């Protein structure tokens, strides 16, 4: 059974259809890369999955449960299993690194503070940020902030992580640190959907790649197929442009 | 002139004016503090989501728009006559307090709203995806960041508002302006009396204005100071 099953997912902004009948099945623990030109709906798909943009049609099934985005309980249950990390990190600027990571486990999930803090320290060590517990987000570099954002997402022990252009706002030399963290997570049983322009990373780390264009899934396949021998003309055109530049 | 001055600056008259100053300060303080709380509640109501809360949202919006658009004097008389209809001997002080709270809440609502909106939406969305309830997002994420924007504007408004309280004298409420008028009615030189009243208003407003400026630069400075990597 698929861990995440998306069927006929539609999203509209007013009269504009930005996602047109997305069908996608993702197995547990799979790392799926979403590629495609800007405005193809990759980020919208991630935002729709966590209910930040309400889908206008279609169905999402996570962990065997159908998600009803109109119902608070259903949305809450989905968000208990899924986490999203954004391009701009979105750390809470008024909180220290440690508080950013522990606030939800403690205040929302009701876990003991000591336990949450111990977990947060372990996660910070894992993303290479030990000693930054008391720092505020604006005292960190972009790459460090993004790694805190990933640690914060991991603290919620999600079964599904959505990574939306997490390296797009970073200086090139900081990208590697963040990608190393993601690579480290792959193969740990966490299902990941990764929107990125880091084609080299996707080719190397993803189990499958989804090519999107104009709100539709154009082609799905293993990285070799999508990057080297695409079946669809649109994928070929997109890849040839990327390779040329 | 010397005689006029001597007549005005007696201990009794100065005590009388000081009572006016105290009332002006009291009205300003009550207005701004309740205004801050009322303004927050209105701003929170206005930012609510969902169809179910639409009446609350609309109610808050109408309240803010109405009381910001009408002159304070009209609000004052509306409250005065409504109060007198319910309670013929309604105490004027409370009439003034209620009017001031209505006005301040409406103005503060916009100041608080601007402050809350200064917090980047993606931070709020992130908290939403983490299943944090809206009240908690407001309390632990939005307000701790918004107060830096709210506080200087609130103090600036307070300075403006000190002057508005003078209108309460029109409804017979005792405050600084009323005290001045009462002294003139006792036959004291109007020019000297109102010059003294002017100085008293300045003595209240000026330190407040400086406090506002200080807060603005200090809060902005603290932010950039921490921002150095």
């Amino acid at each position: 059974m698929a861990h995440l099953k998306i069927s006929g997912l539609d999203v509209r902004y007013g009269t504009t259809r930005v996602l047109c009948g997305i069908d996608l099945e993702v197995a547990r623990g799979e790392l799926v890369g979403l590629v495609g030109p800007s405005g193809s709906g990759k980020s919208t798909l991630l935002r729709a999955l966590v209910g930040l943009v309400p889908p206008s049609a279609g169905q999402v099934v996570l962990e065997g449960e159908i998600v009803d985005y109109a119902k608070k309980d259903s949305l809450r249950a989905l968000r208990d299993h899924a986490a999203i990390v954004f391009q701009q990190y979105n750390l809470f600027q008024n909180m220290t690194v440690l508080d950013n990571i522990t606030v939800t486990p403690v205040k929302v999930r009701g876990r003991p503070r000591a336990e949450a803090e111990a977990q947060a320290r372990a996660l910070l060590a894992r993303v290479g940020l030990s000693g930054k517990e008391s720092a505020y987000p604006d005292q960190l570099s972009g790459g460090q902030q993004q790694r805190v954002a990933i640690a914060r997402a991991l603290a919620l022990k999600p079964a599904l992580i959505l990574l939306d252009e997490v390296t797009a706002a970073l200086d090139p030399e900081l990208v590697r640190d963040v990608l190393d963290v993601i690579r480290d997570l792959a193969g740990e049983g966490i299902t990941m959907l990764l929107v990125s322009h880091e084609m080299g990373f996707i080719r190397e780390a993803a189990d499958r790649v989804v090519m999107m264009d104009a709100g539709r899934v154009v082609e799905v396949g293993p990285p070799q197929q999508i990057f080297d021998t695409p079946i669809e003309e649109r994928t070929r055109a997109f890849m040839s442009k990327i390779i040329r530049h | 002139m010397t005689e006029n001055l001597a007549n005005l600056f007696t201990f009794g008259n100065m005590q009388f004016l000081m009572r006016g100053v105290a009332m002006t300060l009291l009205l300003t303080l009550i207005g701004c503090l309740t205004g801050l709380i009322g303004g927050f509640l209105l701003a929170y109501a206005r930012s609510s989501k969902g169809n179910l809360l639409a009446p609350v949202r609309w109610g808050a919006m109408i309240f803010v728009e109405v009381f910001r658009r009408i002159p304070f004097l009209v609000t004052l008389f509306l409250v005065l006559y409504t109060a007198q209809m319910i309670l013929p001997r309604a105490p004027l002080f409370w009439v003034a307090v209620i009017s001031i709270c209505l006005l301040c809440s409406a103005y503060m609502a916009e100041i608080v709203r601007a402050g809350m909106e200064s917090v980047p939406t993606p931070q709020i969305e992130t908290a939403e995806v983490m299943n944090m309830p809206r009240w908690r997002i407001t309390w632990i994420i939005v307000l701790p960041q918004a107060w830096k924007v709210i506080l200087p504007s609130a103090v600036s408004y307070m300075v403006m508002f000190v002057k508005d309280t003078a209108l309460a004298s029109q409804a017979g409420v005792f405050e600084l302006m009323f005290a001045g008028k009462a002294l003139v009615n006792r036959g004291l030189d109007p020019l000297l009396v109102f010059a003294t009243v002017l100085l008293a208003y300045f003595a209240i407003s000026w330190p407040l204005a400086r406090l506002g400026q200080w807060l603005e630069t200090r809060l902005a400075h603290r932010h950039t100071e921490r921002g150095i990597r």
Side-chain angles (χ1 to χ4, degrees), chain A residues 32-43:
Chain A
V32 173
L34 300 177
V35 299
S38 296
S40 58
K42 309 179 298 285
S43 295

Side-chain angles (χ1 to χ4, degrees), chain B residues 1-138:
Chain B
M1 183 71 178
T2 327
E3 193 188 336
N4 284 346
L5 274 171
N7 284 341
L8 174 61
F9 289 104
T10 63
F11 179 72
N13 285 347
M14 285 307 104
Q15 204 180 26
F16 187 66
L17 272 178
M18 277 302 134
R19 268 178 53 212
V21 168
M23 282 303 277
T24 292
L25 276 173
L26 189 66
L27 288 174
T28 306
L29 214 65
I30 293 176
C32 288
L33 287 181
T34 49
L36 214 52
I37 297 165
F40 166 71
L41 293 175
L42 286 164
Y44 188 71
R46 261 185 104 163
S47 66
S48 62
K49 286 178 186 165
N51 293 338
L52 217 67
L53 291 171
V56 177
R57 205 158 44 240
W58 277 95
M61 200 183 82
I62 291 167
F63 180 93
V64 171
E65 292 305 317
V66 166
F67 284 102
R68 269 164 52 90
R69 304 276 173 255
I70 60 173
F72 178 50
L73 211 51
V74 176
T75 309
L76 188 69
F77 282 120
L78 268 174
V79 174
L80 177 68
Y81 293 123
T82 312
Q84 284 180 346
M85 211 165 66
I86 302 163
L87 196 74
R89 301 184 126 202
L92 288 177
F93 173 75
W94 289 105
V95 167
V97 165
I98 293 167
S99 316
I100 280 167
C101 289
L102 291 173
L103 180 81
C104 279
S105 298
Y107 272 94
M108 288 288 190
E110 285 302 276
I111 292 172
V112 174
R113 190 164 73 109
M116 284 167 70
E117 284 177 359
S118 72
V119 178
T121 316
Q123 275 186 54
I124 296 158
E125 286 181 341
T126 305
E128 271 175 24
V129 177
M130 291 174 162
N131 271 338
M132 214 179 270
R134 202 171 82 88
W135 66 267
R136 183 162 262 154
I137 295 176
T138 308

Side-chain angles (χ1 to χ4, degrees), chain A residues 83-99:
Chain A
I84 186 165
V85 183
F86 299 94
Q87 179 179 342
Q88 291 298 341
Y89 346 120
N90 302 345
L91 296 180
F92 307 132
Q93 296 295 313
N94 58 312
M95 295 183 197
T96 61
V97 164
L98 196 67
D99 286 342

Side-chain angles (χ1 to χ4, degrees), chain B residues 141-156:
Chain B
I141 296 166
V142 177
L143 286 181
Q145 294 182 68
W147 72 272
K148 289 176 195 164
V149 178
I150 295 172
L151 208 60
S153 308
V155 174
S156 297

Side-chain angles (χ1 to χ4, degrees), chain A residues 34-66:
Chain A
L34 300 177
V35 299
S38 296
S40 58
K42 309 179 298 285
S43 295
T44 307
L45 174 59
L46 299 194
R47 290 174 67 81
L49 283 175
V50 289
L52 284 175
V53 184
S56 49
Q59 193 185 58
V60 172
V61 180
L62 180 68
E63 307 247 346
E65 296 281 330
I66 297 174

Side-chain angles (χ1 to χ4, degrees), chain A residues 174-235:
Chain A
L174 304 174
V175 168
R176 189 52 40 193
D177 295 339
V178 174
L179 293 182
D180 284 344
V181 171
I182 297 169
R183 196 195 323 268
D184 198 32
L185 289 175
E188 280 195 16
I190 302 174
T191 308
M192 285 193 277
L193 253 61
L194 168 74
V195 170
S196 179
H197 292 295
E198 295 293 331
M199 296 300 166
F201 179 74
I202 290 188
R203 177 200 278 265
E204 168 202 336
D207 298 303
R208 277 188 308 149
V209 180
V210 177
M211 164 70 195
M212 286 184 72
D213 186 40
R216 293 171 203 279
V217 170
V218 177
E219 191 174 346
V220 184
Q224 289 81 358
Q225 176 194 323
I226 301 294
F227 288 104
D228 303 331
T229 52
I231 296 165
E232 298 295 327
E233 182 51 41
R234 183 68 191 94
T235 316

